[in-house]
């Protein structure tokens, strides 16, 4: 049944290319996917084979077309994809005459992302991601804005190169593991000789790193997102980019030892993401470039959680690192999609995204200002919104080791965490500055007479905002899915006091084994 | 029916076509093409029903003729490829007729439908040759046919130049081949590859120890001649010029059919050497150097190309490099945990046929519509014919080796064998090659989707090309998801 999630968008895309009415078909497929995704997630029993599918497509090497909800991580990212896809299809206003490229591409990106997150076989995990990249490139180059050709060529070269490095790493991994098949079950059950892990880990870090815009491989991201049509930047920044992080977390148990030697490098690079790119973001003069850079910067936090996981040595030694990364991936995906969607609206209404040409937009477009403010504050990490839950969990995971043994002093992860906290300040600076310049102050020519969001335009924005608020107030809506994960890791729980406003702040007691259980 | 009647049938078919051309009614020659296609389709049907062994009444034949699943697969490839080339010719005939007898009329195009049939017979024979002499004869049948096919547009200077280059280098490589065979025969006293195999595998091959150098010298000369056929370094220099100058169907035939025939010959000749302890190390070394240089040359030299046909020429060199890598990482055991090198090569060539023939169909359509074969002729194709652009994008992505297309598996298998054999240099250069490949294939996709069109006039796809392209693209995608059928064919 789960295969439907991939087949529906592909079928709709082909139907549209063959002549079906574009927008209704795309919307129908996205809505159907949303409903099905929710049903699959909520009825999931913890058995990956439920509703899954495993067909052998090759005997040597033993490759299966295997799809299913592997664990909580797959479920959350699947939900993220169907949510953002629905909003992206709904909010995309395509230029006349390009429906037959615009909507099928959007749906193919969604199908590829879903395939990558739902594959339980390494081969299709990789292959589906590539399927999503091609329409991304084509859309940016064909229907993008501004310096679209250069941006599209840059992202193509970078990501193709990243994919090849990744492929090399994965081939080595499979060869070293010597498992019976490429199914995750078989791969994760095998062990890789310690002497080969280090090399494999390097390939995977660089390969996945390029795909996630890890510093210093990040320079493709901001121009590409700024040039891309709104649905593409929403889907790529919001969903597809998470593929690299998902892959690192998924394969982590196989190369946990091999990643250790690279920990210092990773910490330096992720601080590059948070601090260096953070300062770069402050300096941006265009709203879309600022958003693109901020999306690069926030990847640093997810890498921080991964670094904490690497430092701890295993998932059970730092049980909140992985949930932290996943919650933040979800929150960032929703918030950046909302921001890109709204900045597209701003450009349509005012004709510009140059910050110096904007101002006073809140007067004429109050609901646009409100929703943008909400998403912006979420991405800073305002308590009560999803990103806060994620960031707090990330910082807590950074200090887990210290909490377990305060006498050990501050390790590299703790230092990195303290430095990363400054990233929150940096985010506040650039988001609030951009907000002030866009929405406040005197009304200028560009914003004079700009109309507010129409009802139809509000639907996708409010829809996304809902998914910032719900997990923000009650992170357990997300974290509950992690309870299905491997029995070795204690399922983390966040529980609120009845008399406290539910702000999503986890209660943490240093004395207990798991940091998130009630005491 | 005994298997060798199949080749006889194809040769007779070619002769009948020539007779028809000479004594039949003048005028519309495309009926010859249709007759040739019909005859070859019948040969495909015969192929299914031929016996899988040589009848005892003709035991003499077993000395130089082998019929196994591999031979059948390559015969199948040769027939399919020839049929596709003839279909391509039907759509190309307008351009062909401009440069032949009585320009504009079809008077001079008749033989062009008959000659590929002879080449096909040669390729089919080559698939079954197990003796160096019969292999040589089959190879020459193919090569001599190609001398004519390359220079066929004799009123076109480019085609003539290509013909001369191909003739000179082809003659040179034939010389190498005969000289190499002579050295091997002089050393081992036989030209039968089965006998050579047992002689080399024999642990008592110590008796051969003092003859190792002459044997390897002979092998090196044969390899040079084979490198010419498959388009590998150091005999690759003719490829770009000849491919660009030759009529497009000939180019397609050269880059798929002739290459496949070269590879089956290479597999048959190299197998005894790669299976034996006696000469394995040296052979692997030579092959690795050839494979690595071929991958590097093909991929890196393709980057600056601006002509699509020339780009495909370099791409065919690059693919030859990847296939050579699979042979270098020799795996001969069909029961082993990985595919055998023979299976990988067959699979690679099978999928390569689909993608490359598709690309040439696209080229002919674009040439017919724009009169140009430059990459700039593809500008804005997505606006002029979205379906054609999508098809081209899929085929090029497959050539680049993108997952979920058939092109990915061939490279995957080749790399898997190379990693398994610990050929790290080959693997590393291979990945550089793949990365460069992405660049130059995507250049065309970029032109189609990102560049503005020079004219907004829609491009019509001729009927034959439409169905051929649809089938080839569909197969490329289907095999990208489920590649096992090709391997089943290969394994019999």
């Amino acid at each position: 049944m789960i295969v439907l999630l991939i087949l529906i968008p592909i079928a709709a895309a082909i139907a549209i290319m063959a002549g079906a009415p574009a927008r209704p078909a795309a919307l129908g497929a996205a809505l159907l996917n949303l409903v099905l995704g929710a049903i699959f997630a909520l009825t999931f029993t913890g058995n990956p084979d439920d509703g899954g599918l495993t067909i052998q497509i090759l005997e040597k090497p033993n490759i299966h077309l295997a799809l299913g909800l592997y664990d909580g991580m797959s479920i959350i990212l699947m939900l993220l994809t169907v949510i953002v896809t629905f909003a992206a299809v709904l909010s995309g206003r395509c230029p006349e005459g390009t429906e037959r490229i615009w909507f099928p591409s959007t749906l193919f990106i969604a199908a590829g992302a879903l395939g990558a997150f739902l594959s339980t076989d390494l081969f299709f995990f990789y292959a589906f991601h590539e399927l999503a990249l091609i329409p991304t490139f084509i859309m940016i180059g064909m229907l993008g804005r501004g310096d679209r050709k250069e941006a599209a060529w840059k992202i193509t070269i970078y990501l193709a190169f990243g994919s090849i490095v990744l492929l090399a790493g994965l081939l080595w991994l499979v060869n070293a593991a010597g498992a019976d098949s490429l199914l995750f079950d078989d791969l994760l059950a095998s062990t890789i000789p310690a002497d080969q892990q280090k090399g494999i880990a390097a390939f995977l870090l660089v390969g996945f790193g390029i795909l996630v815009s890890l510093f210093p491989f990040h320079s493709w991201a901001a121009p590409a997102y700024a040039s891309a049509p709104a649905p593409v930047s929403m889907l790529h920044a919001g969903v597809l980019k998470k593929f690299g992080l998902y892959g690192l977390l998924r394969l982590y148990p196989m190369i946990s030892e091999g990643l250790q030697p690279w920990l210092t490098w990773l910490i330096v690079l992720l601080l590059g993401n948070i601090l260096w790119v953070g300062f770069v973001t402050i300096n941006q003069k265009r709203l879309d470039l600022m958003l693109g850079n901020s999306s690069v910067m926030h990847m640093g936090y997810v890498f921080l959680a991964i670094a904490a996981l690497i430092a701890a040595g295993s998932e059970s030694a730092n049980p909140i690192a992985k949930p932290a990364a996943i919650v933040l991936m979800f929150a960032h995906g929703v918030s950046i999609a909302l921001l890109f969607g709204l900045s597209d609206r701003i450009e349509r209404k005012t004709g510009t995204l140059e910050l110096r040409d904007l101002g006073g937009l809140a007067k004429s477009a109050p609901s646009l200002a409100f929703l943008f403010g909400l998403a912006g504050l979420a991405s800073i990490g305002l308590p009560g919104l999803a990103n806060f839950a994620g960031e707090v969990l990330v910082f807590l995971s950074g200090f887990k080791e210290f909490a377990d043994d305060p006498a050990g002093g501050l390790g590299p992860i703790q230092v990195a965490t303290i430095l990363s906290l400054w990233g929150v300040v940096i985010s506040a600076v650039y988001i609030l500055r951009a907000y002030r310049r866009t929405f406040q102050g005197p009304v200028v020519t560009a914003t004079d007479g700009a109309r507010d969001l129409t009802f139809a335009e509000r639907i996708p924005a409010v829809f996304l905002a809902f998914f910032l608020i719900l997990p923000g107030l009650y992170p357990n809506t997300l974290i509950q899915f992690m309870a299905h994960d491997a029995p070795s890791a204690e399922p983390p729980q966040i529980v609120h006091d009845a008399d406290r406003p539910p702000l999503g702040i986890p209660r943490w007691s240093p004395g207990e084994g798991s940091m998130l259980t009630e005491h | 029916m005994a298997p060798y009647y199949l080749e006889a049938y194809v040769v007779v078919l070619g002769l009948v076509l020539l007779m028809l051309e000479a004594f039949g009614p003048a005028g519309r020659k495309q009926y010859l093409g249709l007759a040739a296609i019909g005859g070859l389709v019948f040969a495909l049907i015969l192929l299914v029903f031929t016996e899988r062994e040589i009848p005892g009444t003709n035991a003499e034949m077993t000395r130089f003729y082998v019929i196994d699943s591999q031979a059948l697969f390559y015969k199948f490839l040769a027939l399919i490829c020839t049929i596709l080339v003839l279909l391509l010719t039907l759509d190309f005939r307008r351009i062909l007729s401009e440069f032949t007898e009585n320009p504009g009329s079809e008077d001079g195009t008749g033989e062009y439908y008959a000659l590929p049939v002879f080449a096909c017979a040669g390729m089919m024979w080559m698939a079954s040759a197990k003796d160096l002499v019969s292999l040589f004869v089959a190879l020459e049948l193919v090569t001599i046919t190609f001398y004519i096919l390359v220079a066929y547009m004799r009123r076109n200077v480019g085609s003539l130049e290509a013909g001369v280059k191909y003739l000179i280098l082809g003659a040179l490589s034939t010389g190498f081949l005969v000289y190499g065979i002579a050295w091997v025969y002089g050393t081992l006293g036989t030209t039968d590859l089965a006998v050579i195999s047992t002689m080399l595998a024999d642990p008592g091959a110590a008796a051969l120890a003092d003859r190792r150098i002459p044997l390897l010298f002979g092998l090196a000369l044969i390899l040079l001649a084979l490198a010419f056929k498959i388009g590998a370094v150091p005999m690759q220099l003719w490829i770009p010029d000849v491919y660009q100058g030759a009529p497009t169907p000939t180019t397609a035939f050269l880059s798929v059919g002739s290459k496949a025939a070269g590879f089956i010959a290479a597999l048959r000749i190299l197998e005894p050497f790669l299976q034996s302890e006696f000469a394995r190390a040296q052979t692997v070394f030579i092959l690795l150097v050839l494979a690595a240089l071929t991958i590097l040359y093909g991929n890196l030299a393709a980057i600056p190309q601006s002509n699509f046909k020339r780009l495909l020429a370099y791409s065919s060199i690059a693919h030859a490099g990847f296939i050579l890598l699979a042979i270098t990482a020799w795996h001969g055991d069909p029961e082993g945990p990985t595919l055998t090198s023979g299976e990988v090569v067959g699979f690679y060539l099978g999928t390569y046929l689909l993608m490359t023939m598709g690309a040439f169909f696209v080229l002919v359509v674009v040439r017919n519509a724009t009169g140009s074969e430059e990459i700039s002729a593809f500008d804005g194709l997505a606006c002029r014919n979205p379906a054609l652009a999508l098809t081209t994008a899929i085929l090029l992505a497959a050539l680049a080796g993108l997952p979920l297309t058939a092109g990915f598996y061939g490279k995957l298998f080749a790399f898997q064998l190379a990693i398994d054999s610990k050929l790290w240099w080959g693997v590393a250069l291979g990945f550089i090659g793949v990365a460069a490949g992405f660049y130059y294939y995507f250049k065309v996709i970029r032109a189609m989707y990102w560049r503005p069109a020079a004219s907004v006039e829609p491009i019509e796809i001729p009927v034959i090309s439409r169905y051929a392209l649809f089938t080839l693209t569909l197969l490329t995608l289907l095999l990208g998801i489920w590649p096992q059928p090709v391997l089943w064919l290969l394994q019999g």
Side-chain angles (χ1 to χ4, degrees):
Chain A
M1 289 304 284
I2 284 167
V3 70
L4 282 178
L5 286 175
I6 301 164
L7 285 183
I8 290 171
I10 291 183
I14 293 174
I16 293 171
M17 285 192 286
R23 202 173 149 79
L27 258 183
L31 185 64
L32 197 57
N33 249 13
L34 184 69
V35 173
L36 280 178
I39 292 174
F40 290 142
L42 294 175
T43 57
F44 183 62
T45 57
N47 180 2
D49 295 333
D50 275 358
L53 163 99
T54 307
I55 303 169
Q56 191 182 37
I57 60 149
L58 253 186
E59 287 157 14
K60 292 188 243 176
N62 197 349
I63 295 176
H64 298 79
L65 174 59
L67 300 165
L69 296 170
Y70 195 72
D71 57 8
M73 186 158 59
S74 299
I75 298 178
I76 293 174
L77 288 170
M78 180 271 286
L79 285 173
L80 173 68
T81 315
V82 291
I83 289 168
V84 174
T85 307
F86 180 66
V89 172
L90 202 56
S91 65
R93 281 269 177 278
C94 65
E96 261 324 279
T98 59
E99 300 89 355
R100 311 237 172 272
I101 291 175
W102 181 282
F103 286 106
S105 301
T106 311
L107 290 171
F108 267 118
I109 299 174
L114 281 168
F117 295 140
L118 292 175
S119 286
T120 56
D121 181 282
L122 190 69
F123 176 79
F124 278 95
F125 156 81
Y126 177 82
F128 272 117
H129 174 251
E130 301 285 302
L131 171 69
L133 285 184
I134 301 297
T136 312
F137 302 152
I138 289 179
M139 279 279 269
I140 298 176
M142 203 173 171
L143 302 172
R145 300 168 291 202
D147 213 355
R148 63 192 165 91
K149 284 181 201 160
E150 197 182 318
W153 197 226
K154 198 168 182 183
I155 185 179
T156 308
I157 299 293
Y158 260 94
L159 296 194
F161 182 71
S163 304
I164 288 171
V165 175
L166 175 61
L167 180 64
L170 291 179
L171 272 178
W172 189 355
L173 177 105
V174 169
N175 190 266
D180 291 338
S181 76
L182 264 62
L183 290 171
F184 283 149
D185 280 336
D186 287 338
L187 280 176
L188 292 174
S190 59
T191 46
I192 294 179
D195 57 330
Q196 297 195 38
Q197 282 201 17
K198 188 178 169 190
I200 297 172
F203 271 96
L204 294 190
L205 266 184
V206 174
F208 283 129
I210 293 175
L211 299 181
V212 195
S213 65
L214 176 65
F215 182 86
F217 314 114
H218 65 279
S219 63
W220 56 269
Y225 295 152
S227 305
V232 172
S233 43
M234 289 167 82
L235 274 169
H236 196 278
V239 179
L240 201 56
K241 199 157 73 158
K242 310 294 183 287
F243 167 81
L245 301 162
Y246 168 78
L248 269 182
L249 286 168
R250 172 66 75 226
L251 299 175
Y252 165 76
M254 297 185 70
I255 50 168
S256 56
E257 279 176 51
L259 283 166
Q260 299 273 6
W262 304 109
L263 182 60
T264 321
W265 280 96
L266 181 61
I267 288 174
V268 171
L269 298 185
L270 73 89
L271 285 176
N273 266 57
I274 295 175
L275 298 177
W276 175 280
V277 180
F279 283 120
V280 169
T281 313
I282 291 181
N283 202 29
Q284 295 304 316
K285 306 278 189 288
R286 275 178 67 88
L287 189 62
D288 48 4
L289 282 173
M290 188 215 84
L291 292 176
N293 276 302
S294 88
S295 140
V296 174
M297 173 195 169
H298 284 112
M299 292 300 102
Y301 293 115
V302 187
F303 274 114
L304 181 63
I306 292 175
L309 188 62
I310 295 170
S314 75
E315 278 173 36
S316 48
N318 194 342
I320 52 170
K322 196 169 151 191
I326 296 165
V327 172
L328 188 56
M329 277 150 75
F330 181 89
H332 174 262
V334 176
S335 67
I336 198 72
L338 180 52
L339 284 169
F340 273 126
L342 290 174
S343 86
D344 181 53
R345 293 275 162 266
I346 295 175
E347 191 181 22
R348 272 161 206 280
K349 289 176 192 306
T350 64
T352 180
L353 283 175
E354 296 285 345
L355 288 174
R356 66 183 145 92
D357 294 341
L358 289 164
L361 193 55
K363 289 202 183 61
S364 50
S367 63
L368 177 62
F370 173 76
L371 285 164
F372 194 93
L374 182 83
L377 291 174
S379 89
I380 300 173
L382 187 77
L385 296 167
N387 300 53
F388 175 73
E391 283 178 19
V392 164
L393 284 173
V394 168
F395 295 139
L396 289 181
S397 74
F399 266 90
K400 171 75 169 78
E401 217 179 315
F402 182 76
D404 288 347
D405 178 20
L410 293 173
I413 291 289
Q414 285 76 47
V415 176
T417 310
I418 293 168
L419 288 172
S420 304
L421 280 165
W422 286 97
V424 179
V425 180
I426 296 175
S427 309
V429 171
Y430 62 71
I431 289 281
L432 294 179
R433 258 177 33 159
Y435 188 82
R436 195 190 68 206
R437 291 201 185 159
T438 312
F439 292 100
Q440 296 174 332
V443 176
V444 294
T445 354
T447 56
D448 191 24
R451 276 179 299 169
D452 200 5
L453 294 178
T454 62
F455 180 71
E457 288 171 335
R458 269 177 234 179
I459 298 174
V462 172
F463 174 74
L464 284 176
F466 173 75
F467 288 101
L468 285 179
I469 298 170
L470 179 72
L473 295 179
Y474 194 52
N476 228 356
T477 46
L478 284 182
I479 292 178
Q480 59 169 345
F481 294 117
M482 306 292 294
H484 299 303
D485 286 10
S488 60
E490 210 173 322
Q493 291 259 314
I494 293 184
V495 180
H496 301 284
D497 287 345
D499 54 342
R500 272 174 66 102
L503 280 178
I505 306 172
R507 299 292 305 274
W508 169 39
S509 68
E512 295 211 359
S514 169
M515 307 178 71
L516 297 175
T517 40
E518 194 188 24
H519 58 98
Chain B
M1 192 183 83
Y4 41 81
Y5 287 143
L6 203 60
E7 280 85 5
Y9 163 75
V10 175
V11 172
V12 170
L13 175 69
L15 289 172
V16 169
L17 287 169
L18 275 187
M19 294 294 156
L20 277 178
E21 139 72 16
F23 300 110
R28 315 182 72 181
K29 300 286 187 187
Q30 73 260 40
Y31 294 110
L32 280 177
L34 292 175
I37 292 167
L40 289 176
V41 170
F42 186 64
L44 265 183
I45 298 168
L46 290 182
L47 181 67
V48 178
F49 293 106
T50 49
E51 289 168 35
R52 298 294 186 263
E53 57 188 20
I54 294 169
T57 50
N58 201 349
E60 192 64 12
M61 198 76 174
T62 55
R63 264 190 26 214
F64 55 94
Y65 192 95
V66 61
I67 190 80
D68 53 15
S69 57
Q70 210 174 22
L72 285 169
F73 181 80
Y74 282 89
K75 284 179 207 282
F76 177 71
L77 274 194
L79 284 168
I80 295 281
C81 179
T82 315
I83 291 172
L84 285 170
V85 165
L86 288 168
L87 288 171
L88 190 60
T89 309
L90 287 176
D91 274 352
F92 189 73
R93 64 176 192 274
R94 194 175 57 78
I95 299 168
L96 196 67
S97 64
E98 279 170 28
F99 298 105
T100 48
E101 193 95 345
N102 297 336
S105 80
E106 291 193 8
D107 293 351
T109 58
E111 291 95 343
Y112 200 80
Y113 300 108
L115 288 169
V117 177
F118 289 106
C120 177
M123 290 171 197
M124 290 169 71
W125 189 271
M126 199 140 48
S128 280
K130 70 179 272 267
D131 185 285
L132 288 173
V133 174
S134 68
L135 203 130
F136 172 76
V137 173
L139 200 74
E140 280 312 290
L141 177 54
V142 176
T143 312
I144 291 172
T145 318
F146 270 112
Y147 293 148
I148 310 170
L149 284 174
V150 168
Y152 200 85
M153 300 203 293
R154 55 183 172 276
R155 286 167 201 276
N156 179 312
V157 179
S159 181
L160 282 181
E161 184 194 327
V164 171
K165 281 186 178 163
Y166 190 65
L167 177 67
I168 292 175
L169 277 167
L172 183 70
S173 88
T174 303
F176 278 129
L177 183 60
V178 180
Y179 195 38
I181 291 175
W183 274 88
V184 171
Y185 180 68
T187 321
L188 299 177
T190 177
T191 53
D192 186 335
L193 285 166
V195 179
I196 293 178
S197 185
T198 40
M199 284 176 84
L200 290 178
D202 185 8
L208 289 174
D210 56 338
R211 279 178 273 167
R212 186 196 299 266
I213 304 277
L215 181 63
L216 287 172
F217 180 65
L219 178 69
L221 291 171
I222 294 177
L223 269 180
L224 273 181
L226 289 174
F228 172 80
K229 293 304 294 178
I230 61 180
V233 172
M235 299 291 275
Q236 86 294 3
L237 284 172
W238 61 279
I239 288 201
D241 291 340
V242 172
Y243 276 34
Q244 194 179 356
T248 304
T250 306
T251 311
F253 207 13
L254 266 180
S255 92
V256 181
S258 173
K259 196 183 286 280
F263 269 110
I264 178 66
L267 277 175
R268 299 256 189 236
I269 294 177
L270 287 170
E271 185 172 351
F273 291 89
L274 287 164
Q275 290 279 34
S276 76
E277 289 304 313
F278 176 67
R280 181 179 172 133
Q282 292 90 335
T283 315
V284 166
F285 176 74
I286 300 176
L287 282 174
L288 183 59
V289 172
L290 289 191
L293 288 178
T294 308
I295 290 174
L296 268 190
Y297 180 88
N299 282 303
L300 296 184
I303 289 177
Q305 300 307 323
S306 62
N307 180 298
F308 187 68
K309 212 165 162 190
R310 220 174 159 82
L311 182 79
L312 285 176
Y314 283 103
S315 127
S316 97
I317 300 178
H319 285 286
F322 291 116
I323 303 177
L324 266 182
L325 187 65
I327 299 182
T328 312
W330 184 258
H331 284 64
D333 179 14
E335 308 298 322
T338 57
L339 294 165
T340 64
S341 288
E343 286 165 349
V344 173
V345 173
F347 182 89
Y348 202 121
L349 286 168
T351 52
Y352 173 78
L353 178 145
L354 298 175
M355 309 177 299
T356 309
M357 288 307 297
F360 279 108
F361 270 102
V362 172
L363 179 64
V364 167
V365 172
V366 171
R367 166 91 191 251
N368 274 333
T370 66
S372 161
E373 289 173 345
E374 298 291 313
I375 293 178
S376 58
F378 287 76
D379 284 358
L381 197 62
C383 302
R384 302 181 69 180
N385 189 331
L388 182 64
L390 182 70
T391 310
T392 316
I394 292 172
L395 290 168
L396 289 173
L399 280 168
L402 223 70
L404 299 183
T405 64
F408 179 72
Y409 292 100
K411 291 201 174 75
L412 179 76
F413 296 156
F415 281 129
Q416 201 200 10
L417 290 190
I419 291 177
D420 216 51
S421 300
K422 306 210 180 338
L423 301 174
W424 301 122
W425 277 106
V427 177
L429 292 175
F431 271 98
I432 293 175
V434 173
F438 271 104
Y439 181 85
Y440 59 79
Y441 292 118
F442 273 80
K443 241 170 46 169
V444 183
I445 298 183
R446 180 174 65 164
M448 291 189 304
Y449 281 96
W450 302 355
R451 294 248 170 83
S455 103
V456 286
E457 207 179 317
I459 292 181
E460 279 289 313
I461 313 180
V463 181
I464 296 175
S465 291
R466 190 179 311 160
Y467 286 105
L469 271 174
F470 179 75
T471 315
L472 291 171
T473 313
L474 194 68
L475 280 175
T476 305
L477 287 177
L478 282 181
L479 292 175
I481 297 167
W482 192 42
Q484 194 70 39
V486 180
L487 291 169
W488 281 334
L489 267 182
L490 257 169
Q491 289 152 356

